[in-house]
Amino acid sequence: SGRVTVPSLFATFPLVRNILIRERIDIVHGHQAFSTLGHESFMHARTMGLRTCFTDHSLFGFQDGASIHMNKILEFTLSDTNHVICVSHTSKENTVLRSNIDPMRVSVIPNAVDTTMFTPNPAARSSSRVKVVVVSRLVYRKGIDLMVSVIPEICRKFPFVDFIIGGDGPKRIAIEEMCERHQLYDRVELLGNVPHSQVRSVLTRGHIFLNCSLTEAFCIAILEAACCGLLVVSTKVGGVPEVMPSHMIKYASPDAKDIEAALSSAICNDVKDVDSYRFHEEIKDMYSWFDVAERTSKVYDLIMTPAASNDGSRLVKRLASKYECGRYSGKIFCLVIIIDHLLWLFLRLVQPASSIEPAPDYPIPQIQRSGHLKVPPINNSASSGQKGSGIGNSSFSAGSGNKDSYMSRASLHKRSLS
């Protein structure tokens, strides 16, 4: 399959080491538990004495074979990672349980939305019909089977309701079969894959956004929809209840009948009272990528503590943390770390760091003076999260719902990282 990658484990070390030294990296920040490059880069970076930070965006189970395997790999990586970021409190609990790490090493920094891109446009909506929008990958995890059961019933009960579905995936065939079976091709519009730059134009055509996901750590899609002024109907799973205030969203359990009831209620009652511009302003006040960057930079400052006194003591601490990962797996993990350390010593011998030419600093001040690039000034407190290379703290990337309660949680996380 084109989606499968085989871990190379040690083969990437020479290249990763060259990049980290050339770019003078201090922090390696990786995303997603399924990234083989991320896991390998973390292992090599820790062998070299660099700091690491991991961001988890997904929820995983504990019973099926794939989850058990992935959780053990995650435990291997996070056992000596300096800090972990999760996008919701539910995600934090899930990650802590899966990887068996100290909760004090995990911070919650939610995702955000570009509110300048996702703006309301009520004029784009139909005045005579109610449009329900779905923008999602058409896969099992996104609850497409539930949606296929709900759409015919809603179309039968409300002749003035249409559906707009954007996205592609293996479950598209199920939607097409549903349309054929119930003769709904004139009521259900299938757009196929929608580029992110065109998502706003799709959202603004609708009155209601439907999310049937079976599991979500955060769900940026419902945030983008609310930012465009749509009322959201969503399954109450994972971190979804933490995302937005209750007056913007109607919840349903991941059951076709319950989703149908919630969507029917939204069509009959709630959609009439939606103030699109008020929704947009509230989301704008709650979420900002600048806020995410500032809080991430505070995590970087937090983990930039003095290094271990020497390579030997650092290796001993790593081996101790790996040994505690399991009766048998712990010993295997220790062997992997020892081999990686020996490979690092060999690379230092055949290609000393002094022989690797450092990359030149990006000339931001010169470009600013020439007027070709306008960027906000970077203060000292946040510089570690903004730079991509150069002297200083550099980062290498590998691989209950109401407004007041959410804002209080956001303030709490800010203070905890101060």
Side-chain angles (χ1 to χ4, degrees):
S1 170
R3 304 181 195 180
V4 177
T5 58
V6 179
S8 56
L9 209 56
F10 306 110
T12 56
F13 200 172
L15 180 60
V16 170
R17 174 178 176 267
N18 189 289
I19 294 173
L20 297 179
I21 294 175
R22 173 176 164 76
E23 299 292 340
R24 291 167 286 182
I25 299 299
D26 295 313
I27 300 172
V28 175
H29 191 161
H31 296 254
Q32 290 293 10
F34 279 106
S35 170
T36 56
L37 176 61
H39 288 292
E40 292 170 12
S41 298
F42 270 37
M43 179 177 69
H44 303 326
R46 292 301 292 155
T47 298
M48 295 173 61
L50 303 179
R51 313 306 198 281
T52 56
C53 180
F54 174 78
T55 297
D56 200 0
H57 297 268
S58 303
L59 303 178
F60 292 93
F62 301 88
Q63 296 180 337
D64 59 287
S67 295
I68 293 172
H69 168 74
M70 195 66 254
N71 293 344
K72 183 57 68 173
I73 297 298
L74 189 66
E75 183 179 5
F76 165 75
T77 298
L78 299 190
S79 60
D80 68 338
T81 295
N82 296 99
H83 206 81
V84 178
I85 296 173
C86 294
V87 295
S88 66
H89 293 275
T90 302
S91 176
K92 174 179 177 177
E93 293 175 5
N94 182 261
T95 300
V96 167
L97 290 173
R98 288 160 51 210
S99 57
N100 195 30
I101 60 174
D102 182 3
M104 296 301 293
R105 288 202 289 128
V106 185
S107 298
V108 176
I109 302 179
N111 291 314
V113 62
D114 185 352
T115 55
T116 62
M117 176 184 293
F118 293 92
T119 56
N121 183 17
R125 298 174 179 170
S126 171
S127 58
S128 59
R129 303 187 67 81
V130 173
K131 303 282 187 177
V132 180
V133 177
V134 178
V135 179
S136 168
R137 287 181 290 116
L138 304 183
V139 295
Y140 171 78
R141 188 177 71 82
K142 293 298 183 178
I144 303 304
D145 294 322
L146 294 175
M147 185 180 70
V148 166
S149 300
V150 168
I151 289 178
E153 293 302 315
I154 293 296
C155 289
R156 181 182 59 81
K157 292 168 63 175
F158 303 100
F160 55 89
V161 172
D162 297 327
F163 286 82
I164 303 172
I165 302 176
D168 209 346
K171 286 292 182 178
R172 175 167 179 161
I173 186 67
I175 301 175
E176 292 175 343
E177 290 175 350
M178 176 269 295
C179 292
E180 180 70 28
R181 186 182 313 115
H182 297 277
Q183 297 298 304
L184 293 176
Y185 277 113
D186 59 331
R187 305 280 299 278
V188 178
E189 182 180 355
L190 289 173
L191 302 178
N193 186 50
V194 179
H196 190 257
S197 60
Q198 298 177 19
V199 170
R200 184 248 179 189
S201 63
V202 175
L203 292 175
T204 52
R205 293 175 57 193
H207 301 79
I208 299 172
F209 184 84
L210 177 62
N211 173 54
C212 300
S213 293
L214 302 179
T215 174
E216 288 285 357
F218 184 82
C219 193
I220 295 182
I222 64 174
L223 201 60
E224 294 172 343
C227 197
C228 287
L230 278 70
L231 177 66
V232 176
V233 176
S234 174
T235 47
K236 193 174 185 179
V237 295
V240 170
E242 303 177 35
V243 175
M244 62 179 62
S246 57
H247 66 274
M248 295 184 180
I249 185 170
K250 290 188 70 67
Y251 296 110
S253 62
D255 173 78
K257 292 294 183 183
D258 204 30
I259 296 172
E260 179 188 334
L263 187 54
S264 299
S265 175
I267 294 169
C268 294
N269 305 310
D270 303 272
V271 74
K272 303 173 184 177
D273 303 323
V274 171
D275 185 341
S276 298
Y277 291 101
R278 178 190 170 199
F279 276 23
H280 177 80
E281 291 301 320
E282 290 187 32
I283 295 296
K284 184 178 179 180
D285 290 340
M286 287 188 289
Y287 292 97
S288 165
W289 284 116
F290 290 104
D291 179 55
V292 172
E294 180 184 359
R295 293 159 72 176
T296 303
S297 72
K298 290 184 178 181
V299 171
Y300 292 164
D301 292 337
L302 180 68
I303 65 180
M304 286 302 296
T305 52
S309 57
N310 55 65
D311 297 337
S313 62
R314 188 173 68 245
L315 176 61
V316 170
K317 291 180 180 179
R318 292 189 73 198
L319 292 176
S321 66
K322 303 300 180 187
Y323 190 79
E324 296 176 356
C325 289
R327 181 176 182 180
Y328 300 108
S329 57
K331 296 178 177 63
I332 296 174
F333 293 165
C334 286
L335 178 62
V336 171
I337 294 302
I338 291 173
I339 295 174
D340 202 56
H341 191 82
L342 293 175
L343 178 58
W344 177 55
L345 296 177
F346 174 75
L347 291 174
R348 291 175 64 183
L349 179 65
V350 299
Q351 188 183 28
S354 58
S355 66
I356 300 176
E357 180 183 4
D361 291 332
Y362 193 72
I364 290 181
Q366 291 86 341
I367 295 178
Q368 280 184 289
R369 284 196 295 269
S370 66
H372 295 299
L373 176 66
K374 302 296 183 182
V375 295
I378 300 174
N379 56 42
N380 292 333
S381 63
S383 61
S384 62
Q386 302 290 333
K387 290 184 179 179
S389 65
I391 299 174
N393 295 339
S394 304
S395 175
F396 169 74
S397 290
S400 64
N402 63 69
K403 178 180 177 181
D404 294 336
S405 65
Y406 174 79
M407 294 303 289
S408 65
R409 290 198 297 270
S411 302
L412 176 62
H413 296 316
K414 282 186 178 181
R415 291 196 298 272
S416 68
L417 294 177
S418 298

